[in-house]
Amino acid sequence: MATVTICGGGNAAHVLIPLAHAAGWEVNVYAPYGDEAERLRQGMARNGGLRIRFEDGREIVGRAHRTSGDPAQVIPGAGLILLALPAFAHGPTLEAIAPHLDDDALIGALPARGGFDYQAEAILRRAGKTARFFGLQTLPWACRTSRYGEEVTVLGTKAVVDLAAFPASESRAVAELLTGLLQLPFHAISSFLALTLANTGQIIHPGIMYGLCYGREEATYSRDEIPHFYQGVDGFTAEKLQAMSDDVQRVAAVLATAVAEFEPADVLPLYDWVCRAYAGDIADESTLASAFVTNQAYAGLRVPARPTEDGRYRVDFTARYLAEDVPYGLVVVRGIARLAGVAIPALDSVIKWAEERLNHRYLDGDSYAGSRAPQVFGMNKVAQLAESHRAQLER
Ligand code: NAD
């Protein structure tokens, strides 16, 4: 039996464990964060396994064979390693597992966000391991753990998910492997550089935060008043989202001339991506705003908020919609745009606003510190970006 190790103990890991078990894999879990390994073990034991409840009423139950916070217990022998983690946990997790990896192990990030390839290659090379990995453009499911270690609810499943692989020649085989494992269609795109630009989460999450909160940063709300996130997309927010998507399209168009074999068609405009990923979930596709507001997979989700001392709620700007999608998304695109000599005014305005909310300057002196921009990995000219792209395609 083939072995897969799932890294992480959050919502995505809760979906992956039963699915991989049901597909006939031996499933191990690497969960070093807090007491997650123990809680997962106890939950699965109590419940006779972990149950997924899908939006269409289907249920799948499955369990992990071994769950541990020690990589030596669960990484050796795994042919497939899945990182079901926010992007800020990719680096520490790759560092921890690298010494224990089998030589031919394939690593996947669900989702990759931006610049995963630069970081993964650097860490694996330093550890003396063969770099073989892939990244998904998005997580295939909107999912929330309902009882830890016992049950997870899938609110929506994407119609199709794009992926890129390193080396690129393996991307079709990886798409086939994942379709068998996760029971949904995967589509191989040309390169990680395209995947980094095609990461629509980096537009949607910070763009909606900006649209809904700009000028109202200090507002407080009763629980019921906390604005809906996707259903709250109004004209102002949709305009910002469109301008951000247009910026990314301009970067892709210039890269098509500066980087050999770069495929701009793999970088979908935001509206096209939403309609494709959520085919069947959207009641009114007539505008970008209506594609969000009438998307049933997005229904009910609200802006992240924290209780205040007087029992009201204030927007939580430390939540992932900025803390993950800015350094591991927008700032990476900013670094690429800088190398390509493309102005990105809409993305810049959101980054600047988010920097104030996060109290972190990613762009100080163009240092990009704390991000996965190519500059952090020693690429300071578009020719170096093109060379890294060529090397991935030719390996
Ligand atoms: P989650 O918060 O449920 O789980 C994250 C897990 O990552 C934690 O349980 C822990 O195991 C690990 N982790 C967190 N911080 C860590 C740290 N500092 N060091 C080491 N490990 C750490 O997240 P999730 O919902 O499973 O999301 C995983 C990824 O998928 C994220 O990038 C998220 O943005 C993305 N995503 C999630 C959804 C969804 O519906 N859940 C939808 C789209 C995209």
Side-chain angles (χ1 to χ4, degrees), residues 8-12 33 36 85-86 88 111 113 139 142-144 320 324:
N11 302 308
Y33 193 61
E36 285 185 339
L85 299 166
F88 50 74
R113 303 301 186 201
L139 191 71
C143 52
R144 296 288 179 269
R320 277 200 214 141
E324 180 180 16

Side-chain angles (χ1 to χ4, degrees), residues 141-368:
W141 317 276
C143 52
R144 296 288 179 269
T145 302
S146 19
R147 292 203 310 274
Y148 198 85
E150 298 183 20
E151 191 178 286
V152 60
T153 305
V154 169
L155 310 163
T157 303
K158 308 275 190 326
V160 56
V161 176
D162 287 346
L163 68 82
F166 181 115
S169 56
E170 294 201 22
S171 61
R172 277 165 204 247
V174 171
E176 235 170 78
L177 172 84
L178 289 183
T179 296
L181 180 66
L182 304 178
Q183 302 300 311
L184 65 111
F186 286 87
H187 172 242
I189 68 167
S190 54
S191 69
F192 262 99
L193 183 55
L195 193 79
T196 286
L197 292 181
N199 166 20
T200 38
Q202 67 196 345
I203 299 177
I204 296 170
H205 301 144
I208 296 181
M209 288 292 277
Y210 180 97
L212 299 184
C213 305
Y214 180 80
R216 280 172 277 186
E217 289 83 358
E218 297 304 321
T220 63
Y221 306 91
S222 71
R223 184 187 278 272
D224 291 341
E225 288 166 351
I226 299 169
H228 281 105
F229 193 73
Y230 302 99
Q231 288 166 299
V233 171
D234 53 12
F236 173 74
T237 307
E239 249 178 55
K240 194 68 174 181
L241 292 171
Q242 186 61 54
M244 293 169 78
S245 173
D246 292 345
D247 278 359
V248 173
Q249 289 299 307
R250 276 200 311 282
V251 177
V254 170
L255 288 182
T257 63
V259 174
E261 293 183 67
F262 178 80
E263 293 287 349
D266 284 338
V267 185
L268 292 182
L270 180 58
Y271 174 79
D272 298 21
W273 179 83
V274 172
C275 293
R276 173 175 173 258
Y278 290 100
D281 287 332
I282 301 172
D284 175 5
E285 289 186 354
S286 58
T287 65
L288 181 58
S290 72
F292 280 102
V293 172
T294 69
N295 185 336
Q296 69 179 28
Y298 285 152
L301 297 170
R302 292 182 190 253
V303 173
R306 278 188 176 164
T308 60
E309 276 173 10
D310 57 1
R312 288 176 64 80
Y313 291 83
R314 183 170 274 127
V315 173
D316 179 5
F317 292 109
T318 65
R320 277 200 214 141
Y321 287 159
L322 298 184
E324 180 180 16
D325 288 291
V326 173
Y328 301 95
L330 293 183
V331 177
V332 184
V333 175
R334 167 59 152 67
I336 293 168
R338 187 69 155 198
L339 297 182
V342 183
I344 48 166
L347 299 182
D348 277 345
S349 65
V350 175
I351 293 172
K352 193 160 176 289
W353 177 80
E355 282 187 330
E356 282 166 31
R357 311 277 82 69
L358 294 168
N359 199 19
H360 187 114
R361 302 275 174 270
Y362 297 102
L363 305 183
D364 252 359
D366 271 1
S367 75
Y368 300 94

